[in-house]
Amino acid sequence: IHGMVTSGMLQGIYCEGYNNRQGSQAETIEQIRLLSEQPEVWCEVGDHAFFNLLAWIGFVIWSLGIPAVAWRLLYIKASAKELTNVTTKTKFGFLYNGYEPSFWYWEIVIYVRKVLTTFFTNFRMTNDVKGTMSFYMLIALVFLVF
């Protein structure tokens, strides 16, 4: 569910630029930005400005805040050597059970990796298919190495 919510928030943010030609001979070219998922919506204009702000706040709190808080709580417990405590295992064990004790943080690394993958796949840097695929391959290589 986390990936779907993150992707939904990012879809409300991602806008694409288009050339708006005006006049009989198209002397004036104005750059306009439209919402990628709903091209009839102008970006940062009217209601979209408010919803854009809400989407960014939601992305920061939901997609980045949850793993940051989880990491912080586990870091405190790991520093106090309380990861084997029954109370800690009951509350947070789903995040680190199955990993070696020294890798208590690894589930959060995977979580952040998913958020970054969702972020980069929703924000295409170019409309060039080869460039986009090359960028995705670079992301996969970076995640493979780290």
Side-chain angles (χ1 to χ4, degrees), residues 1 28 46:
I1 190 166
T28 308

mmCIF file of all heavy atoms in Angstrom, residues 1 28 46:
data_model
loop_
_atom_site.group_PDB
_atom_site.id
_atom_site.type_symbol
_atom_site.label_atom_id
_atom_site.label_comp_id
_atom_site.label_asym_id
_atom_site.label_seq_id
_atom_site.Cartn_x
_atom_site.Cartn_y
_atom_site.Cartn_z
ATOM 1 N N ILE A 1 0.823 -1.190 0.000
ATOM 2 C CA ILE A 1 0.000 0.000 0.000
ATOM 3 C C ILE A 1 0.875 1.265 0.000
ATOM 4 O O ILE A 1 0.511 2.274 -0.571
ATOM 5 C CB ILE A 1 -0.985 -0.010 1.187
ATOM 6 C CG1 ILE A 1 -1.984 1.111 1.017
ATOM 7 C CG2 ILE A 1 -0.252 0.155 2.510
ATOM 8 C CD1 ILE A 1 -3.173 1.008 1.922
ATOM 9 N N THR A 28 3.804 34.066 -31.241
ATOM 10 C CA THR A 28 4.087 34.005 -29.814
ATOM 11 C C THR A 28 3.999 32.562 -29.339
ATOM 12 O O THR A 28 2.993 31.889 -29.549
ATOM 13 C CB THR A 28 3.061 34.851 -29.028
ATOM 14 O OG1 THR A 28 3.000 36.147 -29.595
ATOM 15 C CG2 THR A 28 3.441 34.920 -27.562
ATOM 16 N N GLY A 46 -4.599 27.902 -9.570
ATOM 17 C CA GLY A 46 -5.895 27.624 -8.951
ATOM 18 C C GLY A 46 -5.827 26.522 -7.905
ATOM 19 O O GLY A 46 -4.957 26.519 -7.030
#
